[in-house]
Amino acid sequence: MTKQEKVDFTIKTLQELYPKIPIPLDHKDPYTLLIAVLMSAQSTDVRVNQITPLLFDRADNPYAMIRLSVEEIRDIIRPVGLSPMKSKGIYELSHILIEKHNGEVPQSFEALEELPAVGHKTASVVMSQAFGVPAFPVDTHIHRLMYRWGFSNGKNVTQTEKDAKRLFPKELWNDLHLQIIWYGREYSPARGWDLDKDIITKTIGRKTVIAEYHKNKRPIKK
């Protein structure tokens, strides 16, 4: 297969598996999505979805959030990890949204990335999922699969994002980044990986990755 044929096969398979794409983080508007994505750093979406209802019951907009103290926010979100940094970021960015953006989440990468605790990936998720702007946020699943599929050398997430944007049509970015995340979780995880169930990697995967998989699966001779 040529590189383009591999890309086309990947897109077709993902579209067949995920014609309707669930959004991983529960939210009701751009602000609650921004907070949920910020909280998801080095945590799981399942854990975040357990905690955000508790936080949003107290404060689901920046005006209500700044009425809480950093300590109160931290106590609520403690189970997601990194709570000292995240609670400070949530409190400070809520202030900035009120002071600079009339309490609204800005609709530009630059303005989002200026907010405390908001990096490029978080800004990309918000731009993509809240505002429908083409973006390709790269998480651990996408980073892993782009390497497994031979679409990126996996040096870092910045390079992986560039490679993804170069290979995939822009109008598909917002769907594809979510489809790849779900595929990575269900069919091509980092641990407990079963290549027979992973049709994309089995069909187009990097030869060295597949060889390593079989080598690790080979029974040890006694």
Side-chain angles (χ1 to χ4, degrees), residues 23-27 36 44-53 80:
I23 300 293
L25 290 167
D26 298 336
H27 65 284
T44 65
D45 293 344
V46 172
R47 176 58 60 86
V48 172
N49 286 339
Q50 291 169 342
I51 302 303
T52 46
V80 302

Side-chain angles (χ1 to χ4, degrees), residues 28-159:
K28 64 177 184 177
D29 57 22
Y31 178 75
T32 52
L33 176 63
L34 173 62
I35 300 305
V37 179
L38 187 158
M39 285 170 57
S40 71
Q42 295 184 38
S43 186
T44 65
D45 293 344
V46 172
R47 176 58 60 86
V48 172
N49 286 339
Q50 291 169 342
I51 302 303
T52 46
L54 306 176
L55 178 63
F56 297 151
D57 188 52
R58 296 282 303 278
D60 62 358
N61 63 79
Y63 297 94
M65 194 66 77
I66 65 169
R67 287 199 288 270
L68 299 177
S69 67
V70 173
E71 290 71 26
E72 287 174 304
I73 298 169
R74 188 169 70 228
D75 286 342
I76 297 169
I77 71 169
R78 197 182 301 277
V80 302
L82 303 179
S83 59
M85 180 196 77
K86 291 175 182 178
S87 56
K88 190 166 179 281
I90 290 168
Y91 182 81
E92 290 179 354
L93 75 78
S94 298
H95 266 286
I96 292 170
L97 291 181
I98 293 167
E99 291 164 5
K100 284 191 173 182
H101 303 287
N102 299 314
E104 300 291 327
V105 176
Q107 298 187 35
S108 81
F109 288 96
E110 294 76 19
L112 283 166
E113 289 181 41
E114 285 175 0
L115 297 171
V118 176
H120 179 66
K121 183 197 158 198
T122 297
S124 295
V125 173
V126 172
M127 291 297 287
S128 167
Q129 294 175 19
F131 303 125
V133 174
F136 214 106
V138 172
D139 75 342
T140 54
H141 298 289
I142 294 173
H143 190 53
R144 177 176 69 253
L145 295 192
M146 286 287 289
Y147 180 79
R148 280 183 179 174
W149 296 342
F151 291 159
S152 181
N153 286 326
K155 302 289 186 191
N156 53 61
V157 293
T158 304
Q159 186 58 49

